[in-house]
């Protein structure tokens, strides 16, 4: 398992605007997952994108994956106050059975200003 | 609600003491993961169990031990406690064994060591 590096570290936008955050990783992956953490609470799984996929949507979320650049981005459209949270990416590679652990970076702290 | 339960929610104790954190995975999930989140270390993987057996080990200190019981619940024991063990401890579960599985996180146990 490898660690993803999220960028930027912090992002503040007005409610209704779109938020984009990025994730870079170092070695080849099987899939990449995005998680959200509201302050001091457990992580919530947002979306999983496989290495053979380029784009995936889930509601207001859009995730892209560029394996040639070893990077992914998470776009949240029409942001709401409830989107205020930290966002983490978790790239995963290697074989099954023993590599399922998630390794997190420092995350992107997103603040939505009402 | 992820379906993963953790008890207790909060714990305040003293250095040198012993605590046991408990986790019940989602129904049907065979894998349990423990993570520690602290201000200086971020979110770190500690250990994974699959159907009662240890499957992967991360940054778990020798003072910590864990196990998964036949009913699949898991316990994380920390002893003797040090000030630096103050952190949020999360348990997550998944069906087990596959890289593309989602991990579902519990609400966490907040440990404060005085």
């Amino acid at each position: 398992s490898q660690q993803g590096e999220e960028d930027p570290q912090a992002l503040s936008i007005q409610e209704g605007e779109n938020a984009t955050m990025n994730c870079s990783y170092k070695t080849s992956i099987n899939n990449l997952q995005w998680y959200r953490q509201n302050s001091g609470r457990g992580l919530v799984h947002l979306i999983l994108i496989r290495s053979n996929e380029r784009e995936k949507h889930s509601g207001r979320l859009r995730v892209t994956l560029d394996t040639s650049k070893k990077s992914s981005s998470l776009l949240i459209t029409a942001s709401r106050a409830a989107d205020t949270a930290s966002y983490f990416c978790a790239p995963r590679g290697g074989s099954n059975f023993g590599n399922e652990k998630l390794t997190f970076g420092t995350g992107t702290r997103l603040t939505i200003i009402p | 609600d992820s379906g993963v339960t953790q008890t207790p929610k909060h714990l305040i104790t003293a250095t040198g003491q012993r605590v046991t954190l408990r986790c019940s995975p989602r129904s049907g999930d065979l894998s349990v993961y423990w993570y520690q989140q602290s201000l200086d270390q971020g979110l770190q993987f500690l250990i994974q169990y699959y159907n009662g057996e240890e499957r992967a080990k991360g940054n778990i200190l020798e003072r910590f031990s864990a196990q998964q019981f036949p009913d699949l619940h898991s316990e994380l024991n920390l002893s003797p406690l040090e000030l630096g063990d103050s952190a949020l401890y999360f348990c997550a579960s998944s069906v087990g064994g596959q890289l593309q599985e989602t991990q579902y996180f519990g609400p966490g146990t907040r440990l404060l060591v005085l």
Side-chain angles (χ1 to χ4, degrees), chain A residues 4-9 22-24 34 87-89 104-108:
Chain A
E5 297 292 339
E6 297 89 353
D7 176 71
Q9 288 189 340
N22 304 295
C23 169
S24 60
W34 284 90
Y87 292 80
F88 298 88
C89 69
F104 297 98
T106 53
T108 291

Side-chain angles (χ1 to χ4, degrees), chain A residues 82-108:
Chain A
D83 296 327
T84 293
S86 291
Y87 292 80
F88 298 88
C89 69
R92 293 165 104 187
S95 58
N96 285 326
F97 302 102
N99 287 302
E100 304 93 85
K101 65 180 181 290
L102 297 171
T103 305
F104 297 98
T106 53
T108 291

Side-chain angles (χ1 to χ4, degrees), chain A residues 6 40 42 57 74 77:
Chain A
E6 297 89 353
H57 296 254
L74 170 67
T77 60

Side-chain angles (χ1 to χ4, degrees), chain B residues 48-61:
Chain B
Q48 176 197 2
Y49 282 85
Y50 175 77
N51 203 21
E53 300 290 327
E54 180 184 306
R55 172 163 283 184
K57 217 166 186 175
N59 300 322
I60 187 165
L61 299 171

Side-chain angles (χ1 to χ4, degrees), chain A residues 30-31 33 35 37 40-43 45 48 50 88 92-105, chain B residues 31 33 35 37 43 45 48 50 55-57 88 90 96-107 110:
Chain A
N30 175 285
N31 63 77
Q33 304 187 38
Y35 282 80
Q37 183 182 29
R41 305 182 72 173
L43 279 77
H45 181 260
L48 179 151
R50 300 180 202 283
F88 298 88
R92 293 165 104 187
S95 58
N96 285 326
F97 302 102
N99 287 302
E100 304 93 85
K101 65 180 181 290
L102 297 171
T103 305
F104 297 98
Chain B
S31 259
Y33 310 77
Y35 294 87
Q37 186 174 35
L43 193 60
F45 166 74
Q48 176 197 2
Y50 175 77
R55 172 163 283 184
K57 217 166 186 175
L88 264 171
F90 291 107
Q98 302 295 323
L99 280 175
Q100 60 267 31
E101 289 171 0
T102 295
Q103 287 185 23
Y104 295 89
F105 281 75
R110 188 175 294 274

Side-chain angles (χ1 to χ4, degrees), chain A residues 13-110:
Chain A
I13 60 172
Q14 295 289 138
E15 193 168 14
E17 293 181 340
N18 296 342
T20 299
M21 54 205 84
N22 304 295
C23 169
S24 60
Y25 56 92
K26 290 190 167 55
T27 62
S28 64
I29 60 171
N30 175 285
N31 63 77
L32 186 144
Q33 304 187 38
W34 284 90
Y35 282 80
R36 181 188 77 225
Q37 183 182 29
N38 294 89
S39 182
R41 305 182 72 173
L43 279 77
V44 174
H45 181 260
L46 296 177
I47 202 163
L48 179 151
I49 187 164
R50 300 180 202 283
S51 59
N52 61 353
E53 297 175 310
R54 291 297 167 257
E55 189 170 310
K56 206 160 181 181
H57 296 254
S58 177
R60 295 183 296 111
L61 306 180
R62 173 178 162 245
V63 167
T64 62
L65 180 65
D66 187 335
T67 53
S68 66
K69 294 181 179 177
K70 294 186 172 56
S71 67
S72 174
S73 67
L74 170 67
L75 168 69
I76 303 173
T77 60
S79 63
R80 305 168 181 168
D83 296 327
T84 293
S86 291
Y87 292 80
F88 298 88
C89 69
R92 293 165 104 187
S95 58
N96 285 326
F97 302 102
N99 287 302
E100 304 93 85
K101 65 180 181 290
L102 297 171
T103 305
F104 297 98
T106 53
T108 291
R109 175 69 192 165
L110 175 64

